[in-house]
Each structure stands twice: as structure tokens, then as C-alpha cells.
Amino acid sequence: MANAYLQGVEISASQFLDIFHHYDNDGNGYIEGKELQSFIKELQQARKQAGLELTDQMKAFVQEYEKNTDAKIGIVELVQILPTEENFLLFFRQQLKSCADFMQAWRCYDADHSGYIEADELKNFLKDLLQKAKKPYDEKKLDEYTHTTLKIFDSNHDGKLCLAEMARLLPDEENFLLKFQVSGYSQSKSEMESENQIDLDSIDENGYMDENELDALLKDLCEKNKKVLEVNKIPTYKTAIMALSDGGKLYRTELALVLCAEDISAPAPL
């Protein structure tokens, strides 16, 4: 079935999802190693069978990855080479050009401040993107986009997207949340405290962290994880994280969205 989809001039959102899941055999969110080699081979065969030339993007992709057995690609790379209907996933990229843009959008569309983008909130987000791009759509198509986006990014299948799941759409170089995960700081609250990394209950006697305190925290993280976190990127990290703040006050729940892998219940600020 995936091979047949690769022959199409245009691929629907649901077909794109089927293709990705078909080649992501281990379900880790990437097409890599033998999976990637199989995809490249079958892409070339499918286009030939359909009497279609590889697009320029496909040719560049094949040239870059065909002999690189250690390479891996995610959703972002795949959507750039396949002729996806409406290219709906790229609407995110156009809207969220940096990690700061991403955080601002998160703050806007997580309307109930639950720490998750739920189906109705995601639907509103996609609707706004379609309207800004002046793309025609109907309710059925909007529902398909919402369902497909959830299926792609909802790694724990809970029917909603946390910050880290949504951030998978950002390029790796912009995804500072991924850097925190690699460095070992994206953990549960109990793990963080047991390793004396950060006590989220004692951020500040007022229950929040300001920009100067965040700056000190980020410098500490960079010092301890020089191979992953870059000191010269501290202003970028800080700007993005402070986009979650409430009037310059970063409360425990917002900081936990960035540094923790699990939800942390805490009283809402008065």
C-alpha cells in the first residue's frame, strides 16, 4: 500500500501518515538505517513504475542519504520531499520559524493552560494556519488534518500533545527541547530532584523564576552539558522559554513543561 502511495502525484494527509508508519518499523519516530535504505529504494521504484521523474527535492534527498547507512530522518524531512496534499505539515513550519515562535504559539493555543494541546485546540490551530495561508478547506478536511497530526505526534497515544511532542516538528537545530532531552534534563520531577539537579518546589519563595534566575539556571545547565547545550545559545533558549511566562514570571508548571517529561500538578498562579 505504501508503495502505491509513493506513485501518486499528490499524497493525502492520511496516506502520508501510512507511509511514515510503514517505514518507521520500530515506531521510534524516525526512519533510519535499513528502514531509510528501503524507503529510498522503493521511492525510486515507485516513481519509475508510475512514469514519474524524481523531483529536485527527491533527487537531493537520495544523493544525501542513499549511501549514508547511519542517517535518520523524521517527519520534517519526509514532508519536504513527498508531494503531500496541501503540504499541511509545512504550515507549522511557516508559522513556527524559531523555537521562540513555537513557544508563543503554544501559549496561545493551549487555551486552558493544561500543559497540553488537545484535539479541539489543535483543530483551532490548524484552522488558523489554513486561513492565514488562504487555503480552501471544509470541516471534513480539517478533521482529517487534526486526526493525522495527532496520530503523527502523539507518541504516548493519550489523545493530546505535550510540548515535547509538538516540538518534534521543529528542525533539530531549532529544537532546544530535544537538546534538554539528550542532556538528561528532560526527566520526571522525582528523577530531577533525586539527582540534585533542580528542586522545582523551591524555584523561588514566590513560586516563580524571573528572567535573571532563568539565565543563571541555563548557564548552569550549559556548564554541565557542554557537548549538547551551547553557551552562546543561552539568549535563544531564554527568549523561547520566557515566551511561556506570565508577565515575566515563569511558574513551576511552565518550567516543568520544558525540563520535565511528565506533567507536574501545581496550583495555578493567583
Side-chain angles (χ1 to χ4, degrees):
M1 186 64 73
N3 185 277
Y5 292 159
L6 290 175
Q7 297 180 32
V9 175
E10 187 175 75
I11 299 169
S12 72
S14 58
Q15 288 171 345
F16 175 84
L17 178 61
D18 288 341
I19 290 171
F20 188 80
H21 283 169
H22 175 77
Y23 291 102
D24 178 21
N25 294 324
D26 56 8
N28 70 344
Y30 292 96
I31 299 174
E32 57 190 335
K34 292 182 179 180
E35 298 169 342
L36 183 55
Q37 299 308 308
S38 294
F39 169 71
I40 291 173
K41 181 179 179 181
E42 292 177 24
L43 173 64
Q44 292 172 311
Q45 291 174 345
R47 301 291 289 184
K48 184 175 181 180
Q49 290 169 3
L52 298 170
E53 294 285 336
L54 293 178
T55 65
D56 290 341
Q57 293 94 332
M58 290 177 181
K59 289 177 182 177
F61 175 84
V62 170
Q63 184 175 3
E64 180 176 356
Y65 292 106
E66 188 173 23
K67 296 182 180 180
N68 187 351
T69 57
D70 295 325
K72 65 179 181 180
I73 64 169
I75 292 290
V76 170
E77 291 80 15
L78 187 62
V79 77
Q80 291 184 71
I81 63 167
L82 293 183
T84 308
E85 175 195 40
E86 300 288 5
N87 238 336
F88 77 109
L89 289 173
L90 289 184
F91 290 150
F92 285 100
R93 297 289 301 280
Q94 294 166 358
Q95 176 76 5
L96 312 174
K97 296 178 181 179
S98 70
C99 53
D101 291 338
F102 172 77
M103 289 297 204
Q104 290 168 357
W106 176 273
R107 179 84 178 183
C108 176
Y109 289 97
D110 179 21
D112 57 4
H113 301 291
S114 65
Y116 295 92
I117 297 288
E118 299 177 50
D120 57 337
E121 295 168 333
L122 178 61
K123 186 175 181 178
N124 288 334
F125 181 32
L126 293 174
K127 181 179 179 179
D128 285 352
L129 292 183
L130 288 166
Q131 289 176 342
K132 287 177 182 178
K134 297 182 179 179
K135 296 287 186 179
Y137 68 91
D138 55 30
E139 197 68 20
K140 182 179 178 181
K141 184 60 64 179
L142 186 58
D143 285 339
E144 180 189 358
Y145 289 165
T146 303
H147 173 74
T148 303
T149 304
L150 271 175
K151 293 283 286 184
I152 290 173
F153 296 107
D154 183 14
S155 56
N156 62 354
H157 310 295
D158 61 358
K160 53 191 177 183
L161 301 177
C162 70
L163 189 69
E165 288 171 329
M166 279 282 282
R168 286 176 54 203
L169 191 60
L170 290 170
D172 283 353
E173 63 270 20
E174 283 288 344
N175 191 351
F176 71 98
L177 294 172
L178 179 62
K179 294 181 184 294
F180 284 130
Q181 290 176 340
V182 171
S183 71
Y185 275 85
S186 182
Q187 304 176 50
S188 70
K189 175 176 178 289
S190 59
E191 288 173 331
M192 292 171 73
E193 293 187 347
S194 67
E195 296 177 16
N196 296 315
Q197 292 177 344
I198 300 173
D199 181 355
L200 291 176
D201 289 321
S202 60
I203 288 177
D204 187 280
E205 61 182 9
N206 296 316
Y208 62 82
M209 178 178 287
D210 62 24
E211 188 170 349
N212 291 332
E213 291 167 329
L214 177 61
D215 187 71
L217 171 62
L218 291 174
K219 286 178 180 177
D220 183 54
L221 298 189
C222 289
E223 179 64 28
K224 293 177 179 178
N225 295 274
K226 292 179 180 178
K227 292 183 179 180
V228 179
L229 301 173
E230 304 169 52
V231 174
N232 64 343
K233 292 289 184 69
I234 285 179
T236 301
Y237 300 151
K238 184 169 63 174
T239 299
I241 295 172
M242 288 305 295
L244 292 173
S245 69
D246 184 4
K249 298 176 180 179
L250 190 68
Y251 287 89
R252 179 178 57 183
T253 46
E254 283 74 37
L255 186 60
L257 284 175
V258 177
L259 298 181
C260 294
E262 65 182 14
D263 182 42
I264 295 178
S265 300
L270 298 176

